[in-house]
Structures are given as structure tokens and as C-alpha cells.
Amino acid sequence: QVQLVESGGGLVQPGGSLRLSCTASGILFRIYAMAWYRQAPGKQRELVASITTVRNTNYADSVKGRFTMSRDNAENTVYLQMNSLKPEDTAVYYCGAGRSAVDYWGKGTLVTVSS
């Protein structure tokens, strides 16, 4: 079975940093584009960042300059380094994998930015 497992969420103060990880199994990881989405209560799920098989990245305007996505194909893992966190970054963060669209989703990890 295909599994995407996120980790690294938690409570952090505004201005702080967190690094999220997503480890995949059951897919040929290196041929999949990967993405991070987030969803806050009462809001739609939104794309935060994506990375292609050749490590091209794209970011939502709201996180550009603060978040960095990377991948380690040897470990079947993608990361989201989140710096200068703001309360509005509070959400459940989900990992997705796909060839031309998201085919598989993780269960999410909660990030809470609060003082």
C-alpha cells in the first residue's frame, strides 16, 4: 500500500521555525512530484509548495521567502522548512504525491503558531 507519513508539526511561537517531513512508501518516489498543502478550520485546502522530479520548486505568495521545500530521493522524503512563522500559518499540513495531479495524500500534521 501507498503511504505518506508527515511529521514535525507542533506548537511554535510567532517568528519561530519548524521543519516538516514527509516520508513515502509504496511508490517509485523519484518519478513523483511532491507538494505540501495546508488547511485551517473552516477554510479550503490550499497549495503551499511543490517540487518536481528535477527539484524545481513553486511557492504560494503567502509563504514565498519564508518556506523552503526540498527532497531527498535516497530517503524517499520531502521537507518543508518553515521560518518566520506567523499565526496565519496555523493549519494542518498535508503531504501529496502525484505525476500530473495529486494521487496520494498523507494524513496531515498540525502546526500551531501562537504566543
Side-chain angles (χ1 to χ4, degrees):
Q1 73 279 39
V2 176
Q3 281 195 297
L4 304 178
V5 180
E6 303 97 336
S7 62
L11 175 64
V12 64
Q13 293 185 343
S17 297
L18 282 175
R19 189 175 80 154
L20 306 183
S21 300
C22 170
T23 298
S25 59
I27 62 170
L28 189 56
F29 181 81
R30 63 178 173 83
I31 69 169
Y32 276 79
M34 303 292 294
W36 287 99
Y37 288 74
R38 67 187 182 187
Q39 187 169 28
K43 298 186 68 178
Q44 291 188 317
R45 185 174 296 193
E46 64 175 345
L47 178 63
V48 176
S50 63
I51 188 166
T52 71
T53 58
V54 294
R55 293 185 171 89
N56 294 136
T57 54
N58 281 285
Y59 301 94
D61 287 343
S62 58
V63 308
K64 198 168 297 181
R66 300 188 297 122
F67 291 10
T68 303
M69 189 172 182
S70 60
R71 67 189 297 156
D72 184 344
N73 288 343
E75 296 293 329
N76 287 358
T77 299
V78 294
Y79 303 94
L80 186 67
Q81 178 66 47
M82 305 186 294
N83 299 325
S84 302
L85 282 161
K86 305 174 180 179
E88 49 263 51
D89 295 318
T90 296
V92 177
Y93 283 71
Y94 297 91
C95 179
R99 301 291 306 279
S100 61
V102 176
D103 298 315
Y104 307 105
W105 294 94
K107 292 182 178 179
T109 186
L110 176 63
V111 172
T112 303
V113 184
S114 177
S115 60

